[in-house]
Amino acid sequence: MTTIEVRKPGLSTTVQDGGRSGYYHLGIPPSGALDQYSLACANALVGNPGDAAVLEIVYMGPELAFTGPATVAVAGATIAPKVNGDERPVWESFDVAEGDVLSFDYLKAGARAYLAVAGGIDVEEKLGSRSTYALGALGGVEGRPLTEGDVLPVGSGPAGRAGLVLPVGLRPALSKQVEVRVVMGLYDHRLTDRGRAAFLDTEWTLTPVADRIGFRYTGGQLETVDREPPFGAGQDPSNIVDSPYPIGSIQVPGGVEPIVLHRDAVSGGGYMMVATVLSGDLDVVAQSAPRTRTKFVEVDLDTALRLRAERKERLVRMHAALDG
Amino acid sequence: MSELASESSTRGARYSWGGDEFVFVELAEEMSLQANFKAMAITGLLRSERPDGVLEICPANASYQVRYDPDVLEPHAFLAHLKELEDRVGDALGVTLDCRVVEIPVLYRDPWTTETLLRFRDRHQDPDATDIEYAARINGYGSVEEFIAVHSGSPWFTSMVGFVAGLPFKYQMVPRERQILVPKYLRPRTDTPKQTVGYGGCFSCIYSVRGAGGYQMFGITPAPIYDPTQTKPDFAEHMVFMRPGDIVRFRPIDRDEYDDLAAKADAGQFRITNRPVGFDLQPFLDDPDGYNKRLLEVLA
């Protein structure tokens, strides 16, 4: 069995897959790859099921030694892999041999890259998933990001094929200026008309507070409607009686610095949420590096469902392009 | 359909889409046990139906949310169904919830939360007092001892589990005019010891893991409530101990008993005392003190 030895862990490299379901009511969020489309691409490039476990690499890649041959691929952020120092392309499968060392060049675009290995990263499943949920010390390797000396087992399965390339038209655009589609709602009635307009008209800037839990933006202040605080809510105008938080919901503590909750979200709390990012557009958020300029664009539910269907069709085209 | 953003049902609940995968329902703007009962009863009915396409059912204090797959469940039909469930539950006064009465030992004013709170005085309303001294004073109690007697004197209803894995929010089971109210920290701490007993707004909580937090810190329990390794005896089936509906009694303990119980917990020999009980809202509302007394007798 091939294993992968972690020589350098990178900034915050974690095992992630399609995520877990059914435990959010106990505070355990779905976790899983923040960019689910790139997860599916990386897996398809090496012949894995789309939701198999991979390594999620943030900003700075790890250094990994392989104890046996493997077929691997990198998708998502532009962070070129290197085999024994020789650069390999992103969005293309390639072979590594016993004793090879895989490292990474610096990040050129996007924020998160996905390293898939044919057979998948075969750590133990926890609550139906191999994904790491670090806040709860659950899944992945001991419930935490990789550290030096970790050994990752590679699953058995059909061997991958080197040289598969994802066509450029099926790769996500990676930009420092993005639009993120949202459905307004939840507690948006707490905003005045001016506050609502400011939310949608502001070009927000992603701060360095951008991790698997949430992404915090700066750039404006949202005006709230005056009120008597309801019993149990708290005194701040942005306080609500602690409620559940949808994945992708955007809360605005104090009316400043909106936070998009991502797949390791805190499952509830006492700050007003004013909109929810479309599930597919969470991939766009995932690929945002700090300082990315971001506009939140309102769509209605019917449009959201149409965009969801388009995303599904794109996944089908991606698989068709690679499975042929 | 964006007009749904604040659509209300005939009973006053507010329904909203949370993107393409969530429906969010606020049953009441204010916290009350009755609103929480509605959330429990509606989500309980939905859970028993197990409809295809429902992925997560999350009851909360006075609201709930459902994550669903809109490719399996047509959103508008699903929303209409949730409104039917709300109608079936009605005012929830006739609902009986299957609960547990749970005893949580607490070392109030322990050295670990005290050390932690001293590191974050710059984020606190009253930098010259400890969290529990501040809470006792602003709630009109003459001494911290008196405040502890009140905090541990009535049961608490677990109205929501979440924020992080396994963290219970607990609502004081006394009439509103007697409830303890304490603001959260001015700015959240970056550290809270594991198993801290905290307080924010009208809720007590137990921090299941170490981490950031904004609730005032009153003490610590030796009882683990979250075990992702599932090696401790209370966690053979579930890594999370606390469930919505758990009725908790905080039992004050001294340092010697804390050390004893903590050692037992480390050795995997500590079990949290708990008993099953049915809980009816109307008789509780009619006579909360009498009802609480009978509830806590099951622990004797």
Side-chain angles (χ1 to χ4, degrees), chain B residues 237-296:
Chain B
E237 284 179 47
H238 300 286
M239 53 185 74
V240 168
F241 183 83
M242 287 290 172
R243 312 263 139 182
D246 279 346
I247 295 164
V248 168
R249 186 201 164 208
F250 294 116
R251 181 170 69 84
I253 57 174
D254 61 19
R255 178 64 193 269
D256 285 346
E257 186 173 2
Y258 176 89
D259 288 344
D260 179 44
L261 296 179
K264 283 203 173 92
D266 283 346
Q269 291 164 356
F270 178 76
R271 305 289 304 251
I272 297 177
T273 303
N274 69 93
R275 302 276 181 277
V277 69
F279 183 39
D280 302 293
L281 188 55
Q282 185 68 63
F284 166 77
L285 293 174
D286 291 343
D287 175 21
D289 293 328
Y291 198 88
N292 287 344
K293 193 160 171 282
R294 290 195 295 278
L295 274 177
L296 294 181

Side-chain angles (χ1 to χ4, degrees), chain A residues 191 194-195 197-207 216-223 251-259 294 296:
Chain A
L191 298 176
R194 270 173 57 191
F199 175 70
L200 293 167
D201 293 343
T202 298
E203 187 176 72
W204 300 94
T205 302
L206 181 61
T207 69
R216 183 183 297 202
Y217 296 83
T218 183
Q221 169 118 32
L222 308 185
E223 187 182 82
Q251 56 181 270
V252 198
V256 296
E257 301 205 336
I259 299 168
T294 304
F296 297 115

Side-chain angles (χ1 to χ4, degrees), chain A residues 22-27 133 136 138 186-187 189 231 241-247 266-268 276 279 301 308 312, chain B residues 14 16-22 26 29 31 56-57 60-61 63 65 69-71 161-163 165-166 169 179 226 239:
Chain A
Y23 303 93
Y24 202 34
H25 67 293
L26 299 175
Y133 165 50
L138 181 69
L186 306 174
Y187 288 85
H189 60 284
F231 180 80
V241 170
D242 290 52
S243 87
Y245 287 152
I247 301 298
V266 290
S267 69
T276 310
S279 57
L301 182 67
R308 181 184 176 89
K312 267 195 155 178
Chain B
R14 203 170 53 74
S16 173
W17 305 120
D20 52 330
E21 293 191 343
F22 283 86
E26 184 191 59
E29 214 182 358
M31 181 57 194
E56 306 275 4
I57 302 171
N61 295 314
S63 54
Q65 70 180 7
D69 181 348
D71 303 328
V161 175
F163 180 60
F169 288 75
Q179 282 184 310
Y226 175 63
M239 53 185 74

Side-chain angles (χ1 to χ4, degrees), chain A residues 20-30 126-127 133 135-138 183-190 196 227 229-234 239-248 263 265-271 273 276-280 298-302 304-305 308-309 312, chain B residues 1-2 5-6 14 16-22 24 26 28-32 47 55-65 67-71 75-76 160-167 169 171 176 179 181 184 188 201-203 209-210 215 226 228-230 239-240 242-244:
Chain A
R20 52 178 65 83
S21 194
Y23 303 93
Y24 202 34
H25 67 293
L26 299 175
I28 300 173
K126 290 282 187 179
L127 302 180
Y133 165 50
L135 261 183
L138 181 69
V183 175
M184 297 297 288
L186 306 174
Y187 288 85
D188 69 339
H189 60 284
R190 295 284 311 119
R196 205 170 187 281
R227 62 146 192 210
F231 180 80
N239 283 156
I240 58 172
V241 170
D242 290 52
S243 87
Y245 287 152
I247 301 298
R263 295 180 66 97
V266 290
S267 69
Y271 292 112
M273 315 84 80
T276 310
V277 175
L278 305 197
S279 57
E298 181 182 10
V299 298
D300 61 17
L301 182 67
D302 291 337
L305 294 173
R308 181 184 176 89
K312 267 195 155 178
Chain B
M1 274 310 298
S2 55
S6 277
R14 203 170 53 74
S16 173
W17 305 120
D20 52 330
E21 293 191 343
F22 283 86
F24 178 91
E26 184 191 59
E29 214 182 358
E30 292 189 336
M31 181 57 194
S32 68
R47 201 173 284 281
L55 304 174
E56 306 275 4
I57 302 171
C58 310
N61 295 314
S63 54
Y64 73 94
Q65 70 180 7
R67 185 181 192 189
Y68 69 107
D69 181 348
D71 303 328
H76 300 95
M160 171 171 165
V161 175
F163 180 60
V164 294
L167 184 153
F169 288 75
Y171 187 68
R176 184 177 286 186
Q179 282 184 310
L181 286 174
K184 298 174 187 177
C202 62
F203 298 105
V209 296
R210 184 178 178 179
Y215 276 33
Y226 175 63
T229 65
Q230 295 191 266
M239 53 185 74
V240 168
M242 287 290 172
R243 312 263 139 182

Side-chain angles (χ1 to χ4, degrees), chain B residues 207-242:
Chain B
Y207 284 87
S208 50
V209 296
R210 184 178 178 179
Y215 276 33
Q216 310 280 341
M217 298 184 290
F218 292 171
I220 200 159
T221 175
I225 57 166
Y226 175 63
D227 176 15
T229 65
Q230 295 191 266
T231 50
K232 294 188 166 68
D234 276 331
F235 302 88
E237 284 179 47
H238 300 286
M239 53 185 74
V240 168
F241 183 83
M242 287 290 172

Side-chain angles (χ1 to χ4, degrees), chain A residues 33-79:
Chain A
L34 295 196
D35 177 353
Q36 290 275 313
Y37 180 74
S38 293
L39 166 76
C41 293
N43 275 321
L45 282 165
V46 298
N48 286 344
D51 60 354
V54 304
L55 295 184
E56 180 175 270
I57 294 163
V58 189
Y59 306 149
M60 200 177 86
E63 191 177 298
L64 308 167
F66 285 73
T67 64
T71 305
V72 304
V74 177
T78 308
I79 175 165

